[in-house]
Amino acid sequence: MSTLTRQTLSHLDWLEAEAIHIMREVAGQCSNPVLLFSGGKDSICMLRIAEKAFRPGKFPFPLMHIDTGHNYKEVVEFRDKRAAELGERLIVRSVEDSMKRGTVVLKHENESRNKHQSVTLLEAIEEFGFDACIGGARRDEEKARAKERIMSFRDEFGQWDPKNQRPELWNLYNARSHKGENIRAFPISNWTEMDVWQYIEREKLELPSIYFAHQRPVVIRQGAIVPVNVPLMTGELTNLPKAGEEIVELQVRFRTVGDISCTAPVESDADTVEKIVLETATTTITERGATRLDDQTSEASMEQRKKEGYF
């Protein structure tokens, strides 16, 4: 007589299974999807989900990054290295190219390019005819993201209308769209920052070095730690200190990475994933609340950007 062994799934197993299911739904329902990959921790998890969903075959979509031109050098180098290791096609489209075309115009030289990624993204979607963009956004990051469906419908102008979204009952997802319309799919929407770090720990995923504690020149500006004299891929320095600001060396790490102009680090001595998991468990400030300067301009800044086509 055979005995049945009951297997208990961890919460990470459940989240991973849901993400794999969503990613396969996008591949099955959409004719020309793309996976957004920046080299950040969330998109690194997305790559592992894609591996588990589609290996040993090739991914049924290319990877794409919208580069502001002011991304951290360590992250850009990691992005290229990881895409090459996987043998997957990486498309890079730059905000700087949109600036040359005149579709992006900065108010001043030092304006953050982060929100202008929306324009470059919409141009890339039109260029390649993508009908779905798979992203690593999570509901716990910010209030506007919490409103968004897992399959988020965008109209022919790339705009998000929170009042015009499809119901998602019983884990049934509708990714169908008319020509010109777009779906933004978020397979790890239900994950938290802690889930991401625990998954990275479990899967032993490699990360850019700036996620771990390191010494960096910074200034304290309006209560935030702002990195200064940051080298770009070109060797040029950006985020120069303002007159009268005192540069200090602090041990910091980045909880999230994005455009240099709006991504602040936090003081930390966590130089391993295990230490970061412990630190994340005790923090009382949200990930974006602590580190994203662009979200602090107004209560509705993220929602407004999403309505304009942001990720």
Side-chain angles (χ1 to χ4, degrees):
M1 182 177 177
S2 63
T3 58
L4 297 177
T5 302
R6 177 177 293 179
Q7 182 179 5
T8 302
L9 297 179
S10 70
H11 78 287
L12 289 180
D13 293 326
W14 282 105
L15 290 171
E16 180 188 71
E18 178 187 54
I20 290 171
H21 169 64
I22 293 165
M23 200 170 283
R24 287 173 174 167
E25 282 292 302
V26 176
Q29 293 188 45
C30 301
S31 61
N32 190 21
V34 65
L35 174 60
L36 302 176
F37 176 61
S38 65
K41 69 181 188 306
D42 297 321
S43 60
I44 289 169
C45 290
M46 295 284 288
L47 283 190
R48 176 51 57 90
I49 296 297
E51 287 185 89
K52 294 196 175 189
F54 304 112
R55 286 296 193 238
K58 296 277 286 184
F59 295 171
F61 37 66
L63 313 179
M64 183 168 72
H65 181 218
I66 304 301
D67 190 346
T68 66
H70 283 183
N71 290 98
Y72 286 94
K73 184 172 181 285
E74 299 94 329
V75 181
V76 174
E77 290 174 345
F78 181 89
R79 175 201 72 188
D80 295 341
K81 171 177 168 287
R82 191 72 188 103
E85 288 172 349
L86 289 169
E88 298 292 344
R89 179 189 176 199
L90 173 65
I91 299 167
V92 178
R93 288 297 178 266
S94 173
V95 172
E96 292 188 343
D97 290 337
S98 297
M99 290 165 61
K100 291 173 184 175
R101 288 191 292 269
T103 52
V104 167
V105 179
L106 302 183
K107 294 178 182 176
H108 52 81
E109 183 181 355
N110 296 321
E111 182 190 4
S112 172
R113 302 178 181 186
N114 192 52
K115 69 176 183 179
H116 298 294
Q117 292 177 92
S118 303
V119 174
T120 309
L121 174 63
L122 295 176
E123 290 173 343
I125 289 172
E126 184 176 4
E127 177 185 355
F128 293 98
F130 294 129
D131 59 351
C133 295
I134 309 169
R138 310 187 320 269
R139 286 182 175 136
D140 80 318
E141 291 182 277
E142 203 274 340
K143 289 180 288 188
R145 294 201 189 281
K147 293 181 181 179
E148 199 151 26
R149 299 285 195 268
I150 286 175
M151 296 288 188
S152 177
F153 173 75
R154 306 297 177 98
D155 65 20
E156 62 271 25
F157 300 106
Q159 296 175 324
W160 173 64
D161 179 0
K163 296 179 181 179
N164 183 26
Q165 297 297 311
R166 298 160 179 177
E168 292 181 340
L169 306 175
W170 306 294
N171 294 329
L172 298 175
Y173 304 110
N174 182 358
R176 297 183 182 90
S177 61
H178 293 105
K179 186 174 173 129
E181 297 172 343
N182 191 260
I183 293 293
R184 307 287 171 84
F186 303 113
I188 63 171
S189 184
N190 290 328
W191 295 33
T192 65
E193 182 185 10
M194 175 62 89
D195 295 329
V196 168
W197 282 111
Q198 289 180 324
Y199 191 73
I200 288 168
E201 181 181 31
R202 188 186 82 172
E203 298 294 313
K204 297 179 173 54
L205 300 180
E206 187 180 355
L207 293 165
S209 60
I210 66 173
Y211 277 112
F212 302 100
H214 59 282
Q215 292 289 324
R216 182 178 288 271
V218 302
V219 299
I220 307 302
R221 186 179 298 162
Q222 296 178 343
I225 300 172
V226 179
V228 293
N229 297 329
V230 184
L232 300 173
M233 290 295 290
T234 59
E236 178 187 359
L237 296 181
T238 188
N239 259 30
L240 303 179
K242 297 179 180 179
E245 288 185 326
E246 179 187 0
I247 300 176
V248 296
E249 286 276 338
L250 286 183
Q251 182 166 268
V252 299
R253 73 174 181 88
F254 288 82
R255 289 175 68 183
T256 183
V257 295
D259 189 87
I260 293 169
S261 64
C262 63
T263 307
V266 295
E267 280 196 84
S268 173
D269 61 0
D271 54 3
T272 66
V273 173
E274 293 78 11
K275 290 180 181 179
I276 292 174
V277 169
L278 290 174
E279 192 174 270
T280 303
T282 58
T283 186
T284 58
I285 304 176
T286 63
E287 179 181 350
R288 295 185 74 92
T291 64
R292 294 307 290 262
L293 305 177
D294 54 334
D295 287 347
Q296 298 172 10
T297 56
S298 79
E299 285 289 307
S301 56
M302 171 62 81
E303 181 161 336
Q304 183 58 39
R305 291 203 303 276
K306 292 180 81 66
K307 288 179 178 179
E308 294 168 357
Y310 193 72
F311 304 108

